[in-house]
Amino acid sequence: DREGNAIAVWHQSDGVRANIWANRYTRADGWGSARPIESDDAGEARLPDVAMDPDGNAVVVWHQSNGARFDIWSNRFTANGALGTAERIEANDGGDAADARVGMDADGHAIAVWKQFDGTTVDIWSNRYTPGAGWGTPELIKNDEETTARPFQLSVGAGGDAFVVWLQSAEGRNDVWAVRFSGSAWGTPERVDDYDDDTKTNPDIVVDGSGVAHAVWSQADPRFQNIWSNQYNPGSGWGAPELIEPPNVDPEEDANALEPSAGINAAGNAFVVWIQNTDSWTSIWSNRLDPETGWVGAELIEAIDRPAKAPLVIVDDRRHAHALWLHFVDSGFDWVRTNRFE
């Protein structure tokens, strides 16, 4: 939160089943004692996600088995660290629900999204938490009987706008789709890339405090994977896709760009980091968006001669960016490295 307090969540096995645990950090006292935040022993509880508002209120979501199928559950921390009661926030018994994501705006509203199998395809559902009222009614935000929604990401802006981006299969390829929550309702899903011949992977999305969003993904050209972006502006909608990572200029060199991760602050300063393959290792690259002038250009942010993977980036209110990734050492990806933009 804005005071530097934090909450970490994870799933942990007790030898019989996995449960959801959490620990809270305060600047005054450091880390507290880890504790379970759900107590239903009917089945496994896994893959929690957490979001916190500027005041320190936090919401956790996860998927949990009832012995027959997986449902989506949630619990909440108040700003003073008090833990609420775990509750189920989806009500569809037609198939497994999994991979829940959650985000919060500056006023403490939370949006949770998850994927749910309906017996034929995988759809995306959502529920919204309102302070003082609690969780609402689950809502279907992507439903297409002909296609399946694949890995997706959620971003909630400080002003209450939210976006979900996902891959959707079509004619043997994957396209990038997104849908917007305007503060009161979800809109109509839209395709945000415009290339029919190339397969896309690894979509991500971020939204700032004024509702401007940036979707990013990796896309073949068709020989190499490159990083692309599209911008959403309130009032005009999605623009034209833009290449934000230079295409490989050496046809003899393997230089795929993959796994883009985006971060943004409320003022619209955005960063994207990704892995870039070479013949011998993978490096970490970045591009920065200035809200006044656009993308400034791709930049190598690490040059160690070892494989790297799983980059992440966050951006604070002072326009500092913090990139993290895993580096291979000896026999595994055992080092976490970082670089900081000031």
Side-chain angles (χ1 to χ4, degrees):
D1 64 16
R2 66 175 130 223
E3 299 298 329
N5 305 306
I7 288 178
V9 296
W10 64 93
H11 69 248
Q12 180 171 319
S13 176
D14 60 8
V16 177
R17 65 187 62 84
N19 302 297
I20 307 300
W21 285 69
N23 201 342
R24 185 169 182 263
Y25 175 92
T26 65
R27 294 185 66 183
D29 301 318
W31 289 101
S33 299
R35 54 176 164 167
I37 63 172
E38 58 83 23
S39 58
D40 187 343
D41 289 335
E44 297 264 310
R46 291 186 171 273
L47 298 181
D49 192 29
V50 61
M52 182 179 279
D53 70 19
D55 294 325
N57 302 296
V59 173
V60 186
V61 296
W62 64 90
H63 66 253
Q64 184 162 334
S65 174
N66 63 10
R69 69 187 65 83
F70 281 97
D71 302 316
I72 305 301
W73 284 70
S74 178
N75 207 338
R76 183 173 181 268
F77 287 87
T78 58
N80 63 4
L83 178 65
T85 302
E87 59 180 308
R88 182 181 172 186
I89 64 170
E90 61 84 26
N92 187 340
D93 290 336
D96 285 329
D99 295 345
R101 306 281 191 272
V102 67
M104 295 185 75
D105 66 20
D107 294 325
H109 300 95
I111 289 180
V113 297
W114 61 90
K115 68 181 185 182
Q116 186 135 18
F117 184 62
D118 66 5
T120 304
T121 61
V122 177
D123 300 320
I124 300 176
W125 286 73
S126 175
N127 201 342
R128 187 168 186 254
Y129 175 91
T130 302
W135 290 99
T137 301
E139 181 180 358
L140 181 64
I141 63 173
K142 181 272 167 189
N143 180 24
D144 185 338
E145 294 300 329
E146 301 299 323
T147 62
T148 289
R150 299 188 183 277
F152 64 91
Q153 298 292 339
L154 163 74
S155 182
V156 178
D161 292 291
F163 286 81
V164 179
V165 66
W166 66 90
L167 293 178
Q168 188 162 308
S169 57
E171 299 178 354
R173 65 177 189 276
N174 291 325
D175 297 325
V176 184
W177 286 70
V179 65
R180 175 179 179 246
F181 181 85
S182 63
S184 59
W186 289 99
T188 301
E190 298 179 65
R191 185 177 168 187
V192 302
D193 74 270
D194 61 4
Y195 290 85
D196 288 341
D197 297 332
D198 306 328
T199 290
K200 301 88 187 176
T201 62
N202 307 120
D204 199 8
I205 197 162
V206 288
V207 56
D208 68 17
S210 63
V212 176
H214 306 274
V216 297
W217 64 91
S218 178
Q219 179 175 312
D221 67 356
R223 181 173 181 179
F224 297 106
Q225 294 286 125
N226 303 306
I227 306 301
W228 287 75
S229 176
N230 199 343
Q231 178 173 313
Y232 178 93
N233 291 300
S236 59
W238 290 101
E242 178 181 1
L243 182 66
I244 63 171
E245 170 269 333
N248 183 35
V249 296
D250 183 355
E252 301 303 320
E253 183 181 9
D254 179 8
N256 289 313
L258 301 163
E259 299 184 23
S261 170
I264 200 168
N265 64 11
N269 298 286
F271 288 76
V272 178
V273 295
W274 63 87
I275 63 171
Q276 187 100 19
N277 292 333
T278 68
D279 286 336
S280 55
W281 68 86
T282 51
S283 300
I284 306 297
W285 285 69
S286 177
N287 201 339
R288 175 173 65 90
L289 177 84
D290 184 307
E292 299 298 326
T293 61
W295 296 100
V296 302
E299 177 184 3
L300 178 67
I301 64 172
E302 70 79 32
I304 297 174
D305 191 3
R306 294 177 182 271
K309 71 174 185 178
L312 294 172
V313 65
I314 57 172
V315 186
D316 66 23
D317 290 339
R318 297 179 180 178
R319 205 185 62 170
H320 301 127
H322 307 264
L324 302 168
W325 62 90
L326 297 178
H327 246 126
F328 187 90
V329 180
D330 297 329
S331 60
F333 286 89
D334 296 331
W335 286 9
V336 179
R337 291 190 176 270
T338 182
N339 201 343
R340 186 170 187 256
F341 176 90
E342 298 186 6

